[in-house]
Amino acid sequence: MLRGLGNPRFLRAVLPAISLAVILGAIFAVNPRTMSPIGLNLLLQLAVPVALATIAQMFILAVNDLDLSIGGYVGLVACIGATFLNTDPLLGVVLLGACIAAYAVMGALIHWRNLPSIVVTLGMLFVWQGIAILVLPTPGGAAPGWITAIMGFKPPLVPFPIVAAVVIAVVVHFALMRSSYGVILRGAGGNPRAVARAGWSLLKTKLAMYALAGLFGVLSGLSLIGLTTSAQANIAMPYTLLSIAGAILGGSEFVGGRVSPVGAVIGALTLTLATRALTFFHVPPDWQIGAQGGILIVVLALRALINRREVA
Amino acid sequence: MSGSKRQIVRLQGVAKRFGAVHALAGVDLDVEAGQCLGLVGHNGAGKSTLMHVLAGTLAPDRGAIVIDGAPREGQYSVAAAHRLGIRCVFQELSLCPNLTVAENARILHPAVKGWGWRGRAGRMIADKLDEIFPGHGVSADDVVGDLALGKRQMVEIARAFTVTDEPLHLVILDEPTSSLDSVTAEQLLVFVRKIVDEGVSCILISHLLGEVLGYCDRIVVMRDGQVVAARAAGEFDRHSLVSAMGDVAEDKKTAAHEARSANRDAAPVCVRARPRGKAAGGELVAHRGEIIGLSGLAGHGQTELLLQIYQAAGRRDRDTEVTGPVALVAGDRQADGVFHLWSIAQNVTVRSMRRMLWHGLIQPAREAAMAADWRQRMRIRTPDMNNPILSLSGGNQQKALFARALGSDAEIVLMDDPMRGVDIGTKLEVYDIIRAEAERGRTFLWYTTEMDELDNCDHVYVFRNGQVVADLPRGEMTEQKVLQSSFEQVA
Amino acid sequence: MSTAMVRIRVLLARPWIWSFLGALAVWLAAELFTGGQGAGELLTATLSFAVFMVIVGIGQMFVISTGPGNVDLSIPATIALTGAVAMKTMGGADAMILPGMLAALAAGAFVGACNYGLIRLLRIPPIIATMSANFLVMSTAIAYGRGLKVKPPPLFADFTTAQVAGIPVLAICTAIFAAVMGVVLHRTVYGRSVHAIGQNRRAARLAGVAVDRTRFLVYVLSATFAGLCGALLAGFSGGSSLSAGETYLLASIAVVVIGGTSVAGGRGNVPGIWGAALFMYLLEAMLNTYGAGAGLRLILTGLIIILVITIAGGDRPQR
């Protein structure tokens, strides 16, 4: 199977790392001042919430679904975090718990009625957005101090976003890729019938995966307001696309339960850098939205190329 | 077998229907401890459905399930079957391709968890593989998706025999040797005999009657959802087994066929194809008006070649030459053939839509006329061709698919094992129609897994590992020769 | 049983009837609040706005009917781009109306062709392909329409807002358009091919259906209709706007799902799109009269879609 560097499996595994290195190198070349802990910190700050949202999306991808609502959901969490969690912490925690429960129910509904996840999550996108507008009608609110303190934490030597990214990647890797129940969760994406025939409940796996996605969506929203200190309903709308792109760039597949938490985190870092790089490279603001779509298409084109080699 | 032995399984009057199809029509089955039970019957006889009931993956409509002496209806499930020590290796593989061999072993065993589970699962499956298939060449860390089909089958079989905290009383093997080579198949059968002697029971389903006759204690024959014979293996021989499975004796059409195959070269060539990327083997040639059989073991490239010919129609292709319009009759009706939301009439006419047009619009009257015509010609049993296609039994659905192909403008008709799960009466009707259409100049390429269907063919090509390995004219074709070519490495 | 009962039963078995019943119920609820005042105006306004949802909805319906996973998320940006293209080409001159319309339709068709190119050549799932395309098209629209504030030609503006006895002319045209598309869906080889592919793509290929050509045309059709909608919408609202298409992302899918088209593919429905479009607009109007804000409107629309698909969605064949 291993035929050296041309091996598609190997290529696919290192594609995220290579693209990260390429973008980082390009930014350093254009602006050498970024090559310092403070510079890196600024560059990568927003990577933490994006990485968490990408992990959330990856859990959904692992069971062959797609979550178009994650952007609205992270926005809602941010709004709750900047209002209730600050003024009435207990109520805030209860509300965030309810959000996670709602995600799990969404997964159960999709499984129970065998519904297409795109339509259900697209409907939920508007529900989250609507609730967020009710919670916080105009931009504002304030993040609880403890969250801004965590996000502003400056460890010696290594910038915080890198520490956070490593922690996220390692924790999720062990929970999903190394634990004995993680095997069942991934198996449910690879061959649901086989998992059901071994006596496991597919409903439980869907519930677990959607609840995990909800949990990481909450973490993403809270870390986001830790950086922005205030919130608004539409604050995280681009996350839907970013999270899908990041997970796919990191080696996850749309079907078949093939996912990679480490890859997803690297993918999220790469995409955050890529959007930052657009300003460094003086891409006109008109084309910045389009460039995001373009990056996603380029990533998928590379993947298609590698996969074709695998078939051939 | 002595009657004093413990009964592991007793099924009584088990029935199951899918839509209009009676998959099981009241089946009784007994399995004793330490017994190897052979289960044979044609495709669609209900063997696999029965095993799904026993494994807990399908709930029967009625009937009693007694396991280990206690009735289990109502509360029987996959989990219950596992607890009672019943395992099943299904015909379609039940491994997760995205997981490693060890992880797949873990899926079967809830008890393998906690610290170091990965190592324990790996050792468990590796030990069992070593025991059953010495020299297997599979590592516990291999991702299943990377393994060849035969190795996956070995992993799945070994997994079924691993034991943790749950007991192991009965292992069902549904066509276990279908993707194994002869050496590993032999290893498996020897292992089965060994553990049967240790007291574990086995149910062996196989198309290879030699395996069943040689390794089983008792043989049960199924036909049309019922058990038609159940006796000790020693009381059967190949001939009595085949006749119990319901094969109707050879009829009189053979003579006419011999005559036709004699002047083969007079008719123009319609199809000339060589399996893509298999330069070593022979090529398949069909002349106008011939019925060509594609034979060999299941899954050895026959369907792929039919698809290759189907795709090559109407365009240039290096390996494939097709001279006329092509239609295909699917064997896997639900996956490849039927449009489940449509009526019977729409399903029949879809291949001929362009003939229904008048000023660019499909005319319902023309559609109805074609549907009525083919209802009568194929004798599709339905009160109304506007009924949904799924209201038909499996055999009649298949007739509708034949009507779709035969009613089209196709000169060449490809058939992908189309008689799966079709009752014998329907088969005989369709055989006659195929022969009549061939007389009129249509060419048929017929992949079949049933040996006696080859008697309808003018010429038979035998496939092995994707290659054409033998080319037998009608006069030289015998079951012996076909089998010999299918297993050449053995001979 | 009386024949009337039988007739009602037959009617209720049609999937599109529910969207009309829903529209009627919401309309009555709105009228109840206002005491019947302005009932006529409400209907006129409803018809005027529903027209645009119907046009994009029909395109989306063709896409969704080709089977699970097929959906066009590039409609909002396409509407924004084609609106700008139409206004710029027309340049406010009555003589340029036809070239402007054609330019808008061509721009739409081009977007659709690109969508299918991404899907086919890069093997990207349609959702992702059309979503990425939406971003690229949006950027094109921003760059193209920068500082653009061209008024529609007077004749065009008059046509898009004209009424006959309180019924918008555009609504009459769209009704005819919908009827034609209904015939295309049910009585042509193309429509049959769409339904065949939606039920089982593999079986369709093996039954001689031109799968690639049909799917290509479906995406081109959807984007072209978005182009038609974009041009008309720009004329109707007195100029193009970048945010013109925003609401149509969800609305186009919602009218298809609520209208009784099977999300699993293979069963399209044209009349239901009309009912659903009326329902969607009336729902918004009703919530407005009851004083509900944007948040509640979003929540209800989202929940209704999920409710409808939950009730209708379980019909996929279990294999």
Side-chain angles (χ1 to χ4, degrees), chain B residues 42 223 242-243 245-251 424-425 428 452 455:
Chain B
H42 280 307
R223 187 166 71 206
V242 168
S243 61
M245 284 160 67
D247 286 311
V248 183
E250 182 61 9
D251 34 41
I424 186 76
L428 293 177
D452 33 306
D455 290 338

Side-chain angles (χ1 to χ4, degrees), chain C residues 161-288:
Chain C
T161 50
Q163 294 178 9
V164 176
I167 301 173
V169 172
L170 217 49
I172 299 168
C173 295
T174 308
I176 297 168
F177 172 71
V180 171
M181 293 321 289
V183 171
V184 169
L185 184 67
H186 293 291
R187 292 285 298 279
T188 64
V189 171
Y190 179 70
R192 283 284 174 90
S193 303
V194 168
H195 278 165
I197 293 167
Q199 292 175 66
N200 186 336
R201 195 191 304 172
R202 191 176 152 85
R205 199 184 292 279
L206 294 177
V209 172
V211 173
D212 277 325
R213 196 172 59 207
T214 308
R215 290 186 74 208
F216 172 77
L217 273 179
V218 148
Y219 281 93
V220 170
L221 215 59
S222 171
T224 310
F225 290 174
L228 179 64
C229 175
L232 294 174
L233 198 57
F236 180 77
S237 45
S240 66
S241 125
L242 285 174
S243 58
E246 257 171 20
T247 55
Y248 292 93
L249 174 62
L250 184 72
S252 65
I253 297 171
V255 293
V256 173
V257 174
I258 297 174
T261 291
S262 164
V263 191
R267 190 161 50 208
N269 193 319
V270 176
I273 293 177
W274 261 107
L278 297 176
F279 172 74
M280 292 280 289
Y281 183 78
L282 284 167
L283 179 73
E284 199 173 323
M286 182 195 78
L287 291 171
N288 273 336

Side-chain angles (χ1 to χ4, degrees), chain A residues 18-249:
Chain A
I18 290 178
S19 35
L20 179 63
V22 166
I23 294 215
L24 208 54
I27 292 179
F28 287 161
V30 173
N31 191 341
R33 268 178 306 166
T34 52
M35 219 177 350
S36 67
I38 297 168
L40 273 178
N41 202 10
L42 278 172
L43 266 183
L44 287 170
Q45 233 181 10
L46 279 170
V48 177
V50 174
L52 289 164
T54 306
I55 294 284
Q57 184 71 256
M58 186 202 71
F59 283 125
I60 306 290
L61 285 172
V63 282
N64 301 336
D65 283 344
L66 196 64
D67 184 3
L68 298 183
S69 79
I70 189 78
Y73 178 75
V74 172
L76 169 63
V77 170
C79 288
I80 293 175
T83 52
F84 292 108
L85 195 62
N86 198 15
T87 54
D88 185 352
L90 186 64
L91 180 62
V93 169
V94 170
L95 286 176
L96 292 177
C99 285
I100 297 175
Y103 241 75
V105 169
M106 181 164 89
L109 183 70
I110 287 171
H111 175 78
W112 174 53
R113 295 292 288 168
N114 196 11
L115 301 178
S117 58
I118 336 160
V119 182
V120 175
T121 54
L122 198 63
M124 284 312 283
L125 170 67
F126 287 77
V127 174
W128 304 132
Q129 222 184 342
I131 301 175
I133 291 175
L134 291 183
V135 169
L136 192 65
T138 52
W146 56 274
I147 297 179
T148 40
I150 293 176
M151 293 309 291
F153 175 61
K154 287 197 176 55
L157 296 174
V158 191
F160 174 71
I162 294 178
V163 176
V166 170
V167 169
I168 296 167
V170 168
V171 167
V172 179
H173 181 80
F174 273 91
L176 189 64
M177 310 301 282
R178 305 291 299 182
S179 80
S180 57
Y181 193 64
V183 167
I184 309 302
L185 294 176
R186 286 184 291 132
N191 187 348
R193 204 150 53 146
V195 172
R197 277 177 182 174
W200 300 93
S201 157
L202 288 179
L203 177 67
K204 273 188 202 157
T205 62
K206 271 258 158 103
L207 269 175
M209 284 308 228
Y210 272 82
L212 279 169
L215 173 67
F216 276 82
V218 164
L219 295 177
S220 169
L222 294 183
S223 61
L224 180 60
I225 53 165
L227 296 169
T228 60
T229 67
S230 69
Q232 61 156 356
N234 288 332
I235 191 170
M237 277 307 171
Y239 280 29
T240 299
L241 185 80
L242 278 177
S243 65
I244 296 172
I248 298 301
L249 177 60

